[in-house]
Amino acid sequence: MKTATPTMARAINDRLALDLLLERGPLTAPQLRTLTGLSRPTVSDLIERLRTDGLIEVAGESGAQRRGPNARLYGLVSGRAHVAGVDLRRDAVHVTVADIAGTAAGTLTRPLGADPDLAALVSAAVAEAAGAIVLHTVVLGTPGLIHPRTGLASCGGVPGGRPDLREALAGRLGTRVVLENEVNLAAIAEHRDGAASGREDFALLWLDDGVGAAVVLDGRLRRGASGGAGEVGLLRMNGADFCALVEADVAAGAGAERLAEVIVEAVFALVAVLDPGLVVLGGTLGRAGGDRLATMVTERLTGLSPVPTEVCPSVVEGDAVLRGAVLTALDLARDDVFG
């Protein structure tokens, strides 16, 4: 086994300190020593290095310390990089811009219209939300299949949709653009901030304008060979597609009992194949059904599968797709800027 080189050790220590500042906010040198277990000289060098690189700055003084070097609070230079998350729906595009610390710096919603120039409309919305801010990374969530290697989009049903949307946006925005299925991004938000926090395995069943599932196994999002993992909306049930049976207008008149009977069929398919241990009901319908709908689905699932499975509603606040897009963009930017 090879030991870490001095350069690698410094990089590891730097990232450890930066992640602590992200998680806890400004810290003093003594607090960094306590939390990292690093020596006084190592932390002193680390702080000087990060300040020279423009990654941290003095953010005040701690009242718990005497005045002097040990009282200085060091915080991230939050404006070092900015990202944008985009939620592209079939009727509108929603954008949030955030600094590298995750603080929102701009938001925008714009309707799509009947036959838009999608690349022009989305890029204009991102540019307007960003204003004078230069973006490091843009992550966009959209319905449909996104090929995990080529980034080409298909089957989304978004007005003006085009397979090369990622490349077209990157050319217009002049920055890195990542395209991802919107349910996958919602699952990232659920894993980080929601009902699946701390779980290595779960499935998110998305019941909204667009129906599908996202799969996380061993802590990793699974997209499939061509981006089609989790497309449960295509399941046939009594001669109809599952997605047609849970559309908003159909679900509104179905009643909770009937809705649970339909939803459990898709949940059972996920459980029978994946055994995820947890299925989160997300999207507008899943959140609105709450614990009552989740309980009814659980009761019916028990009669179908011997595998113990928890079913619960999503608890991510606001737009889960947009939240997942911002989180993904922040992860990419931080890996690049922080190392």
Side-chain angles (χ1 to χ4, degrees):
M1 181 181 295
K2 294 182 179 180
T3 59
T5 65
T7 299
M8 183 182 295
R10 284 193 294 270
I12 292 170
N13 292 340
D14 289 355
R15 185 60 190 263
L16 175 60
L18 289 166
D19 285 344
L20 283 169
L21 293 172
L22 276 171
E23 177 186 351
R24 297 173 179 256
L27 297 168
T28 64
Q31 288 171 328
L32 282 170
R33 290 198 298 269
T34 299
L35 292 168
T36 62
L38 299 173
S39 67
R40 181 188 295 268
T42 299
V43 169
S44 178
D45 290 345
L46 176 154
I47 288 172
E48 183 60 29
R49 190 164 55 246
L50 294 179
R51 291 185 69 183
T52 300
D53 290 344
L55 296 175
I56 67 172
E57 61 188 353
V58 176
E61 292 186 342
S62 170
Q65 301 286 343
R66 298 187 303 274
R67 295 186 64 83
N70 284 341
R72 292 174 189 156
L73 284 165
Y74 297 97
L76 294 173
V77 178
S78 58
R80 177 63 185 269
H82 287 80
V83 303
V86 183
D87 178 12
L88 178 59
R89 314 301 291 179
R90 294 184 175 94
D91 61 348
V93 58
H94 310 278
V95 183
T96 291
V97 174
D99 63 30
I100 203 165
T103 303
T107 60
L108 183 76
T109 293
R110 179 173 288 181
L112 288 191
D115 187 23
D117 180 338
L118 198 59
L121 188 149
V122 172
S123 60
V126 172
E128 185 176 341
I133 293 171
V134 176
L135 296 173
H136 181 283
T137 301
V138 176
V139 173
L140 181 146
T142 183
L145 275 63
I146 311 299
H147 198 286
R149 287 182 294 280
T150 66
L152 294 176
S154 62
C155 308
V158 176
R162 47 190 291 184
D164 64 341
L165 181 60
R166 183 191 65 80
E167 291 183 0
L169 289 173
R172 287 177 175 270
L173 293 169
T175 191
R176 173 170 57 175
V177 175
V178 176
L179 212 62
E180 181 61 271
N181 173 268
E182 93 278 29
V183 184
N184 286 344
L185 291 178
I188 288 171
E190 203 69 54
H191 198 201
R192 195 79 61 87
D193 298 336
S197 178
R199 304 291 287 257
E200 287 292 299
D201 306 299
F202 78 98
L204 170 66
L205 180 60
W206 188 252
L207 305 166
D208 208 299
D209 175 25
V211 175
V215 178
V216 174
L217 298 175
D218 298 324
R220 295 177 57 195
L221 182 67
R222 306 293 177 165
R223 297 175 176 84
S226 56
E231 289 294 328
V232 295
L234 302 177
L235 290 174
R236 297 289 290 178
M237 298 179 184
N238 298 321
D241 289 345
F242 174 64
C243 60
L245 298 175
V246 291
E247 288 179 345
D249 53 346
V250 177
E257 294 286 340
R258 173 55 185 158
L259 197 56
E261 291 173 2
V262 173
I263 291 173
V264 75
E265 296 294 335
V267 172
F268 175 59
L270 292 168
V271 171
V273 175
L274 302 172
D275 186 18
L278 169 67
V279 177
V280 180
L281 305 182
T284 301
L285 184 57
R287 283 183 58 85
D291 290 332
R292 179 168 179 261
L293 178 61
T295 298
M296 288 190 290
V297 172
T298 301
E299 291 170 349
R300 287 158 177 77
L301 182 63
T302 302
L304 295 173
S305 172
V307 177
T309 305
E310 179 184 356
V311 181
C312 67
S314 168
V315 295
V316 175
E317 295 293 335
D319 186 333
V321 175
L322 195 55
R323 176 62 177 159
V326 171
L327 288 171
T328 301
L330 285 171
D331 286 346
L332 293 170
R334 288 166 182 168
D335 284 348
D336 187 28
V337 175
F338 293 166

